[in-house]
Amino acid sequence: MASVKDLFQSADWTKEKHVPVIEILEKDKEKGVRVRVSVGKEIPHPNTTAHHIVWIEVYFQPEGDKYPYHVGRFEFVAHGATVQGPDTSTVYSEPVVEFVFKTQKDGVIFATSYCNIHGLWENSTELKL
């Protein structure tokens, strides 16, 4: 029987356009941790009505804690569709998010993304304050 972890794909983000890229932009115990997560940083991901990134979710697991915290879910809902049909608009959301969260502990930041054609993807990076 398959498990949930079998649903997620992972790869080197410099060679695979679906993998979420996690960048820690700033880290301060008082101000918080500023993070950018994107899909298609090195190799652009298509962003059309037929093929696009639907959402990115981010989790943080503090060192020593049993379970992760759900930091956020970011949905991308503009993919060029209008009442005239697919790819008839000039409005497209890009799968890039920037946010701040506070923690007093080191840990691991996990990001997952969903491509409407190629499914679920994951990546993680260590946070050292």
Coordinates of all heavy atoms in Angstrom, one line a residue, residues 4 6-10 18 20 55 57 112-122:
V4 N 1.5 8.5 1.9 CA 1.4 9.9 1.4 C 2.8 10.3 0.9 O 2.8 11.0 -0.1 CB 0.9 10.9 2.6 CG1 1.1 12.3 2.2 CG2 -0.5 10.6 2.9
D6 N 4.9 8.8 -0.7 CA 5.1 8.2 -2.1 C 4.5 9.1 -3.1 O 4.8 9.0 -4.3 CB 4.5 6.8 -2.2 CG 5.2 5.8 -1.3 OD1 6.4 6.0 -1.0 OD2 4.5 4.9 -0.8
L7 N 3.6 10.0 -2.8 CA 2.9 10.9 -3.7 C 3.8 12.1 -4.1 O 3.6 12.7 -5.2 CB 1.6 11.4 -3.1 CG 0.5 10.4 -2.7 CD1 -0.6 11.2 -2.0 CD2 0.1 9.6 -3.9
F8 N 4.8 12.4 -3.3 CA 5.6 13.6 -3.5 C 6.9 13.2 -4.3 O 7.5 12.2 -4.0 CB 6.0 14.3 -2.2 CG 4.9 15.0 -1.6 CD1 4.0 14.3 -0.7 CD2 4.6 16.3 -1.8 CE1 3.0 15.0 -0.1 CE2 3.6 17.0 -1.2 CZ 2.8 16.3 -0.4
Q9 N 7.2 14.1 -5.3 CA 8.4 13.9 -6.1 C 9.4 15.0 -5.6 O 9.0 16.0 -5.2 CB 8.1 14.1 -7.5 CG 7.0 13.1 -8.1 CD 6.7 13.5 -9.5 OE1 7.4 13.2 -10.4 NE2 5.5 14.1 -9.7
S10 N 10.7 14.6 -5.8 CA 11.7 15.6 -5.4 C 12.9 15.4 -6.4 O 13.0 14.4 -7.0 CB 12.2 15.3 -4.0 OG 13.1 16.3 -3.6
H18 N 9.8 21.9 -11.5 CA 8.6 21.7 -10.6 C 9.0 21.8 -9.1 O 8.1 22.0 -8.3 CB 7.9 20.4 -10.8 CG 7.3 20.3 -12.1 ND1 7.9 19.7 -13.2 CD2 6.0 20.7 -12.5 CE1 7.1 19.8 -14.3 NE2 6.0 20.4 -13.9
P20 N 9.9 23.2 -5.6 CA 9.9 24.5 -4.9 C 11.3 24.9 -4.4 O 12.0 24.0 -3.8 CB 8.9 24.3 -3.7 CG 8.7 22.9 -3.6 CD 9.1 22.2 -4.9
W55 N -0.7 25.7 -6.2 CA -0.4 26.2 -4.9 C 1.0 25.8 -4.4 O 1.6 24.9 -4.9 CB -1.5 25.7 -3.9 CG -1.8 24.3 -3.8 CD1 -2.9 23.6 -4.3 CD2 -1.0 23.2 -3.2 NE1 -2.8 22.3 -4.0 CE2 -1.7 22.0 -3.3 CE3 0.2 23.2 -2.5 CZ2 -1.2 20.8 -2.9 CZ3 0.7 22.0 -2.0 CH2 0.0 20.8 -2.2
E57 N 2.6 25.2 -0.4 CA 2.4 25.1 1.1 C 3.8 25.1 1.8 O 4.7 24.5 1.2 CB 1.6 23.9 1.5 CG 0.2 24.0 1.2 CD -0.7 22.9 1.8 OE1 -0.1 21.9 2.2 OE2 -1.9 23.2 2.0
T112 N 6.0 22.4 -0.3 CA 5.4 21.5 -1.2 C 4.7 22.4 -2.3 O 4.2 23.5 -2.0 CB 4.4 20.6 -0.6 OG1 3.3 21.3 0.0 CG2 5.1 19.7 0.5
S113 N 4.6 21.8 -3.5 CA 3.9 22.5 -4.6 C 3.1 21.5 -5.4 O 3.4 20.3 -5.4 CB 4.9 23.3 -5.5 OG 5.7 22.4 -6.1
Y114 N 2.1 22.1 -6.1 CA 1.2 21.2 -6.9 C 1.1 21.7 -8.3 O 0.6 22.9 -8.5 CB -0.2 21.1 -6.2 CG -1.1 20.2 -7.1 CD1 -0.9 18.9 -7.2 CD2 -2.2 20.8 -7.8 CE1 -1.7 18.1 -7.9 CE2 -3.0 20.0 -8.5 CZ -2.8 18.6 -8.6 OH -3.6 17.8 -9.4
C115 N 1.5 20.9 -9.2 CA 1.4 21.2 -10.7 C 0.2 20.5 -11.2 O 0.0 19.3 -10.9 CB 2.6 20.8 -11.4 SG 2.4 20.9 -13.2
N116 N -0.7 21.2 -11.9 CA -2.0 20.5 -12.3 C -1.7 19.4 -13.3 O -2.6 18.6 -13.5 CB -2.9 21.6 -12.9 CG -2.5 22.1 -14.3 OD1 -1.3 22.4 -14.5 ND2 -3.4 22.2 -15.2
I117 N -0.6 19.3 -13.9 CA -0.2 18.2 -14.8 C 0.7 17.1 -14.2 O 0.5 15.9 -14.4 CB 0.4 18.7 -16.1 CG1 -0.4 19.8 -16.8 CG2 0.9 17.6 -17.0 CD1 -1.7 19.2 -17.4
H118 N 1.7 17.6 -13.4 CA 2.7 16.7 -12.9 C 2.7 16.4 -11.5 O 3.7 15.8 -10.9 CB 4.1 17.3 -13.4 CG 4.2 17.3 -14.8 ND1 4.2 18.5 -15.5 CD2 4.4 16.4 -15.8 CE1 4.3 18.3 -16.8 NE2 4.4 17.0 -17.0
G119 N 1.7 16.8 -10.8 CA 1.4 16.4 -9.4 C 2.2 17.2 -8.3 O 2.6 18.3 -8.5
L120 N 2.5 16.5 -7.2 CA 3.1 17.0 -6.0 C 4.6 17.0 -6.0 O 5.2 16.0 -6.3 CB 2.5 16.3 -4.8 CG 1.0 16.4 -4.6 CD1 0.5 15.3 -3.6 CD2 0.7 17.8 -4.0
W121 N 5.2 18.1 -5.5 CA 6.7 18.2 -5.4 C 7.0 18.7 -4.1 O 6.2 19.5 -3.4 CB 7.2 19.1 -6.5 CG 6.9 18.5 -7.9 CD1 5.8 18.5 -8.6 CD2 7.9 17.7 -8.6 NE1 6.0 17.8 -9.8 CE2 7.3 17.3 -9.8 CE3 9.2 17.4 -8.4 CZ2 7.9 16.5 -10.8 CZ3 9.9 16.6 -9.4 CH2 9.2 16.2 -10.5
E122 N 8.2 18.4 -3.6 CA 8.7 18.9 -2.3 C 10.2 19.2 -2.3 O 10.9 18.8 -3.1 CB 8.4 17.8 -1.3 CG 9.3 16.5 -1.5 CD 9.1 15.5 -0.4 OE1 8.4 15.7 0.6 OE2 9.6 14.4 -0.6

